[in-house]
Amino acid sequence: MEIEYKEIITNITKAAYSIFSGEHNTVFSGSGIELDRVEEADEFSDAKDINWRATAKRGSLMINRFVDDRSLEIVIVYLADGGMSIGNKHQLALKLIVSTVYIALNQQANITLIVPNSSDSIDIYRSKSIYDFAKVSYEVLKDIDIYSLYRAYETTIYNVSKVISKKSIIFVVGDFLDLVPLEYLLPKHQVIAMVVREELDENPSIVGNKTIYDPSLGIKKRYNITKSTIKKYKDALLLQDSILEKSILINSGSIKKFYTNKDPYESLSILLRYG
Amino acid sequence: MTFLYPFFIGLVFVYILCIVYCKKSHNTTFANTKLLKRFVVKTSYQTFDLLYILALISIVISLMYPVLRNSTITQKRVGYEIAIVLDSSNSMSDNNLFAKAKKIIDRFITNRKGDTIALEVFGNRAYIASPLSCDINATKSILQELYTGVAGSNDTALYEALFLSTKLFDSSSKYGKVVIVVTDGIDTLNNIPPQIVSKELKRLDIKLYLIGIGDDYTKDSLKKFALMSGGEFYSVENIKDLDTIYSHIDSLLPGNIIVQKSVQNRAVYDIFVYLYILFLILIIFKNGICKESILLIFATFFALFALYIYPKATSSNANSSLSIAIDISDSMYADDIKPNRFSIAKIRATEAVKELNIPYLSLIVFTSKPYLISPPTRDKKSILDMLQRLSNEKEISKGTDILSALKGALYIESRFIKRGVLIFSDGGDYLNTKEIKSYIKDNNITLYSWAVATPNGSTIPLKDGDIMEYNHNIITTKLNPNLKSISKFFGIENGNSKSFKEFLDSINSDYNIDSSSKNRLVLIYLFISFILFIYARFGEFND
């Protein structure tokens, strides 16, 4: 299904209009509003942050530090693999990422988009050097050869932790069907997990003697699946999801599930507004 | 073991094609096998595939309908088919010639165990008294009923009798066909040219033994006849010599003792269906509850249906017979059914002979006593001929006794495994249903009744235009409703041939005649089972 960029922007704008209007905190905001501390300036300090009163008192150049300015650094990690090709998961992920980029840009955030590539590495796109980053993100995600990517959560997250040194809000988008080693990112960064699922990921209807192709691993194998198998699988996935949720929430992060059969824009707006 | 439908082997190729072409559709895409596989049932897929292949082999063999040929080696005397043609013109009553001849023939028949024997009489015309039948007792009892003048008294239709006797062998394929003629005169009618008779004898390879009594015949022409057919001509001066000649003929027709291989086909597909069901159950057990298993359960049920109607032998009706019994009592003159009950009974009996697929049919008429018209025979043509000539004009005895008809039928059909009696009657005035039911049950016979009367009934017209009376009271006769209660299948004449046809179909089904349709039903059930099996194996469905 071809998704038009304009359509995404229109939908997210509509959904986010009321939520983002006014002087509210958002997951991106906080900077420049609440004073955290006053400290000596360094060569990287911004002139607009100079605290003249403190400078006069101390005799050295002092600057204001505001509460948590890391919100300005937004990293979006797309855990793309072949499994996202099932149903409309990739399209949903594309909507979520482009919408997030668009909202974050409007909040003057620095955005880094990270997607894994087929050589077990990651591709990094930064908003600083790009004019219309939302559109670029759209093009990047649209052009990903999703079928050529196999699940490599560990490698991807490890690589992300290596390249993101500054405290950031990291949006991790994927189906989270396997354990994602978020411990590489937590607690240094604030992680917001966007879990993209098909109904069948959680409630599979494959019973019997089946040959199953798993595009996330690129493996085809025969399985004898019973009702009991499915029940145990569901329980295990629920447990896995709850472990993920706990590990994120304990570190002041957020998690939200998105299903391909539901409209994502409103839920996304709420997530971005309230975390 | 042989297969009745070997072409079903082609279904194996259907399976192979499915393996090749349905494989893709049988695959499922799922993105989390890493987690799923921790809970899947550990299965050896070689075992799984093997079970499917074994089930396939079993169902395909079942569909091919394997039949075991049980060969039994027996020593058997090869019987002859003998038509005894007896001159019944008036001249045969001289010196009690006819009665003495009957005695000698009776003795001859008694000695001919294993043969099939027909009786024919001739005078002005020639008639078949009894078609070819292996029931010697029945044939002998018909012989006793014959008398001089039974076929007309003035003329001697010898050539017609000979020609008619050849017709008895029309459908016969046996080699031992013999006609024995006893006559005291020459042909006086000349209605059939002797050349035609001679040609027919030759064509059908019939040996003619001609016995001339006295000297009132042209020896040469008769001798020529007999010798041409490979038979003999005997000229006897008196009846005592006839006995000697019959003994001589008896010795000429020894009856070969041959080693005979009798083969009985026995369907054995049930073994393979049992195996098929076993493999299906194992697959279901391995699969657990899922749509695939549900389909396999249905496949199992259809296989069970096929087992349920499993015909034990492919020719189960070979040893069964039916007596057609026609009521000829006075009440059958009643014309509540036009033209009268008896005429309609004859018409329906004729239809029954044509339509029924029962190997042996016999014909009796009855009032308060049964009278044998034809012993059990395969010769439908003769029975039809006898039916044609049947009339109730000659009053034998009055009243209708269904039980006597049953007893008569049972007497002549004692050697058959499946025995039935089809009665055409109005039921008479009184029926002892309890006694009849008990007789039917004890003797394991089946009674089918076609009522030729109406519930309202009618008077009985007499030939002179009067109406039958008793003590100055007009007699009315109507359908006895109890006839239904003693019959397995019952129908009432309503002028509709279709309902009679349905009645006959019921009898045919009851005789289990249509074994081929039963086989077809088995095949249909097995084939449905196969389709379900294939769909379960290769179908794409989400649970």
Side-chain angles (χ1 to χ4, degrees):
Chain A
M1 187 177 71
E2 191 72 20
I3 308 160
E4 290 297 326
Y5 171 70
K6 276 184 184 171
E7 188 188 322
I8 298 171
I9 300 305
T10 309
N11 284 328
I12 192 60
T13 308
K14 265 191 215 166
Y17 177 75
S18 58
I19 292 166
F20 283 87
S21 59
E23 291 279 321
H24 299 295
N25 273 342
T26 70
V27 290
F28 307 110
S29 64
S31 69
I33 294 170
E34 197 180 332
L35 189 66
D36 185 18
R37 61 191 181 278
V38 178
E39 58 183 27
E40 276 189 15
D42 55 27
E43 65 268 36
F44 299 107
S45 299
D46 197 329
K48 71 176 168 62
D49 292 335
I50 296 171
N51 186 329
W52 296 108
R53 188 187 291 256
T55 304
K57 270 188 184 173
R58 298 280 297 268
S60 59
L61 196 61
M62 302 299 283
I63 57 155
N64 291 332
R65 288 286 185 203
F66 295 95
V67 173
D68 206 358
D69 64 354
R70 66 199 162 145
S71 58
L72 289 174
E73 288 298 327
I74 303 295
V75 177
I76 301 174
V77 181
Y78 179 28
L79 297 175
D81 62 46
M84 295 296 285
S85 66
I86 294 177
N88 293 320
K89 286 198 284 185
H90 177 61
Q91 286 82 349
L92 177 59
L94 187 147
K95 284 180 193 173
L96 294 171
I97 293 169
V98 172
S99 299
T100 307
V101 169
Y102 181 74
I103 296 286
L105 281 174
N106 283 338
Q107 300 290 313
Q108 282 84 46
N110 294 322
I111 306 163
T112 305
L113 174 64
I114 298 174
V115 289
N117 59 31
S118 52
S119 12
D120 270 356
S121 182
I122 51 173
D123 294 330
I124 303 167
Y125 306 88
R126 294 186 196 276
S127 63
K128 270 183 183 169
S129 52
I130 299 168
Y131 167 63
D132 189 353
F133 192 65
K135 182 75 188 285
V136 170
S137 304
Y138 171 78
E139 297 296 341
V140 165
L141 295 174
K142 219 177 85 173
D143 292 344
I144 286 180
D145 181 10
I146 200 96
Y147 302 98
S148 67
L149 301 172
Y150 299 124
R151 186 178 292 155
Y153 289 165
E154 175 126 17
T155 315
T156 306
I157 297 296
Y158 178 75
N159 287 336
V160 169
S161 71
K162 288 291 163 200
V163 295
I164 308 298
S165 52
K166 213 173 175 186
K167 278 188 179 178
S168 308
I169 298 174
I170 301 178
F171 288 88
V172 184
V173 183
D175 56 17
F176 288 83
L177 288 175
D178 198 0
L179 288 169
V180 179
L182 292 177
E183 58 272 17
Y184 288 121
L185 308 175
L186 296 168
K188 185 181 177 185
H189 305 285
Q190 183 187 356
V191 171
I192 297 174
M194 292 182 180
V195 181
V196 176
R197 295 262 171 94
E198 272 280 320
E199 195 69 37
L200 291 175
D201 287 333
E202 295 181 354
N203 193 14
S205 58
I206 36 171
V207 181
N209 176 30
K210 301 280 181 184
T211 302
I212 298 176
Y213 175 67
D214 188 340
S216 67
L217 306 173
I219 293 170
K220 188 159 79 173
K221 212 176 164 187
R222 276 176 77 174
Y223 298 97
N224 188 12
I225 302 161
T226 62
K227 291 261 183 199
S228 154
T229 309
I230 296 300
K231 192 181 175 305
K232 285 176 187 167
Y233 167 82
K234 283 186 198 171
D235 292 343
L237 189 61
L238 271 176
L239 182 68
Q240 189 179 292
D241 285 351
S242 74
I243 291 167
L244 174 75
E245 193 174 346
K246 259 184 200 167
S247 70
I248 291 171
L249 293 178
I250 218 162
N251 290 289
S252 310
S254 305
I255 183 165
K256 178 80 186 168
K257 279 185 184 174
F258 294 88
Y259 292 93
T260 53
N261 56 354
K262 287 176 186 164
D263 183 70
Y265 296 107
E266 200 172 325
S267 304
L268 178 65
S269 301
I270 293 165
L271 175 74
L272 297 181
R273 167 67 182 80
Y274 302 108
Chain B
M1 188 162 70
T2 54
F3 297 99
L4 289 189
Y5 311 109
F7 52 84
F8 275 114
I9 189 81
L11 293 177
V12 173
F13 298 103
V14 172
Y15 191 86
I16 292 167
L17 284 176
C18 284
I19 289 174
V20 176
Y21 290 104
C22 304
K23 210 174 178 181
K24 269 187 185 172
S25 68
H26 195 53
N27 288 344
T28 306
T29 310
F30 184 64
N32 199 11
T33 53
K34 190 182 170 189
L35 184 62
L36 186 76
K37 73 179 178 188
R38 283 163 50 192
F39 312 110
V40 295
V41 180
K42 297 273 180 290
T43 307
S44 159
Y45 289 100
Q46 285 87 348
T47 314
F48 214 88
D49 289 341
L50 185 69
L51 282 174
Y52 262 108
I53 287 167
L54 288 172
L56 171 79
I57 291 167
S58 307
I59 183 73
V60 169
I61 293 177
S62 306
L63 280 163
M64 287 164 71
Y65 216 90
V67 165
L68 263 188
R69 290 182 185 274
N70 283 339
S71 303
T72 318
I73 307 293
T74 49
Q75 285 197 330
K76 197 178 172 185
R77 181 179 176 275
V78 176
Y80 287 84
E81 287 181 331
I82 303 170
I84 297 171
V85 184
L86 185 58
D87 187 346
S88 64
S89 61
N90 265 353
S91 56
M92 285 292 285
S93 59
D94 297 345
N95 299 322
N96 217 7
L97 207 60
F98 191 79
K100 287 173 183 170
K102 268 171 55 176
K103 244 182 199 172
I104 293 162
I105 291 168
D106 187 287
R107 219 162 31 241
F108 175 77
I109 293 173
T110 309
N111 289 337
R112 303 304 305 181
K113 277 177 187 154
D115 293 340
T116 47
I117 292 172
L119 288 176
E120 193 187 325
V121 285
F122 66 97
N124 293 353
R125 298 293 306 271
Y127 295 108
I128 293 166
S130 170
L132 283 167
S133 171
C134 49
D135 191 334
I136 282 176
N137 289 333
T139 310
K140 278 163 72 178
S141 73
I142 288 175
L143 177 70
Q144 296 316 312
E145 298 292 330
L146 301 177
Y147 52 90
T148 51
V150 68
S153 47
N154 301 327
D155 285 311
T156 306
L158 175 62
Y159 293 143
E160 186 187 329
L162 283 171
F163 184 74
L164 185 62
S165 70
T166 63
K167 296 294 153 203
L168 285 166
F169 303 103
D170 255 358
S171 56
S172 172
S173 57
K174 284 190 178 176
Y175 72 95
K177 287 171 273 193
V178 174
V179 174
I180 301 169
V181 184
V182 180
T183 181
D184 67 344
I186 55 167
D187 187 279
T188 56
L189 281 177
N190 262 328
N191 52 352
I192 304 269
Q195 294 84 352
I196 289 178
V197 177
S198 178
K199 207 175 161 186
E200 279 299 289
L201 287 168
K202 208 170 178 183
R203 185 178 70 83
L204 294 163
D205 194 21
I206 300 168
K207 277 187 181 177
L208 174 65
Y209 294 90
L210 234 161
I211 304 162
I213 303 171
D215 52 7
D216 188 17
Y217 50 83
T218 311
K219 279 183 184 173
D220 287 348
S221 59
L222 292 181
K223 191 174 183 177
K224 200 177 151 191
F225 243 104
L227 294 178
M228 215 163 57
S229 70
E232 296 277 348
F233 172 76
Y234 305 95
S235 173
V236 293
E237 293 301 322
N238 59 61
I239 194 72
K240 282 180 187 169
D241 298 334
L242 187 60
D243 202 6
T244 320
I245 287 163
Y246 262 107
S247 302
H248 179 66
I249 294 171
D250 197 16
S251 66
L252 286 178
L253 307 174
N256 296 329
I257 302 295
I258 61 154
V259 175
Q260 200 178 46
K261 193 178 173 185
S262 62
V263 177
Q264 194 202 10
N265 288 342
R266 186 176 175 276
V268 288
Y269 77 90
D270 60 321
I271 300 163
F272 297 95
V273 178
Y274 279 123
L275 283 172
Y276 171 63
I277 290 170
L278 174 75
F279 296 133
L280 288 189
I281 289 168
L282 287 173
I283 296 168
I284 292 165
F285 183 72
K286 275 188 166 287
N287 263 345
I289 300 299
C290 59
K291 278 189 181 168
E292 189 177 332
S293 294
I294 289 166
L295 282 172
L296 291 174
I297 288 168
F298 277 112
T300 309
F301 275 119
F302 276 101
L304 285 170
F305 290 150
L307 277 182
Y308 179 71
I309 54 164
Y310 167 58
K312 296 285 178 201
T314 53
S315 53
S316 57
N317 67 326
N319 204 3
S320 48
S321 76
L322 179 87
S323 273
I324 295 172
I326 301 176
D327 185 352
I328 55 165
S329 63
D330 289 336
S331 62
M332 292 296 279
Y333 276 117
D335 57 0
D336 51 347
I337 296 172
K338 303 293 177 192
N340 61 44
R341 294 175 184 175
F342 177 73
S343 304
I344 291 297
K346 258 177 70 172
I347 291 167
R348 293 305 187 207
T350 306
E351 285 171 28
V353 172
K354 287 176 184 168
E355 293 291 329
L356 288 171
N357 296 318
I358 298 162
Y360 288 94
L361 293 176
S362 60
L363 180 64
I364 57 175
V365 293
F366 70 98
T367 53
S368 55
K369 286 181 185 169
Y371 300 95
L372 178 64
I373 304 297
S374 168
T377 180
R378 288 177 179 273
D379 188 351
K380 281 190 173 185
K381 260 163 73 180
S382 296
I383 291 206
L384 288 171
D385 182 49
M386 286 168 171
L387 264 171
Q388 196 63 37
R389 285 188 280 120
L390 203 64
S391 81
N392 63 345
E393 284 178 8
K394 188 181 175 189
E395 193 176 300
I396 304 169
S397 61
K398 290 184 180 179
T400 296
D401 185 353
I402 302 284
L403 190 59
S404 85
L406 291 174
K407 284 178 178 171
L410 192 66
Y411 169 73
I412 58 168
E413 299 196 351
S414 54
R415 75 185 178 87
F416 294 101
I417 293 166
K418 165 92 179 168
R419 294 172 297 184
V421 181
L422 168 57
I423 280 179
F424 295 91
S425 172
D426 52 20
D429 298 328
Y430 173 72
L431 278 178
N432 186 344
T433 52
K434 202 176 166 187
E435 192 183 356
I436 294 172
K437 277 180 184 173
S438 150
Y439 187 80
I440 287 170
K441 196 179 170 189
D442 293 346
N443 294 285
N444 194 25
I445 51 176
T446 316
L447 177 65
Y448 313 100
S449 300
W450 187 254
V452 278
T454 59
N456 295 331
S458 75
T459 55
I460 305 169
L462 297 174
K463 272 192 170 176
D464 54 12
D466 283 348
I467 290 170
M468 193 178 276
E469 294 177 2
Y470 182 71
N471 285 345
H472 304 293
N473 292 323
I474 293 171
I475 297 172
T476 56
T477 167
K478 55 187 177 184
L479 171 68
N480 188 330
N482 290 331
L483 190 57
K484 187 175 181 180
S485 68
I486 56 169
S487 312
K488 182 168 185 185
F489 297 134
F490 174 80
I492 301 177
E493 177 60 40
N494 56 4
N496 183 356
S497 292
K498 201 180 163 192
S499 54
F500 185 65
K501 174 83 171 49
E502 285 167 4
F503 175 73
L504 294 179
D505 287 345
S506 310
I507 298 174
N508 271 334
S509 309
D510 197 41
Y511 265 77
N512 201 8
I513 297 307
D514 200 356
S515 61
S516 63
S517 76
K518 204 166 187 179
N519 288 354
R520 272 201 298 276
L521 203 59
V522 166
L523 289 181
I524 288 168
Y525 283 143
L526 288 178
F527 194 71
I528 292 170
S529 181
F530 173 79
I531 298 286
L532 291 168
F533 167 75
I534 288 288
Y535 190 59
R537 177 74 181 88
F538 299 105
E540 192 182 12
F541 27 74
N542 293 320
D543 286 87

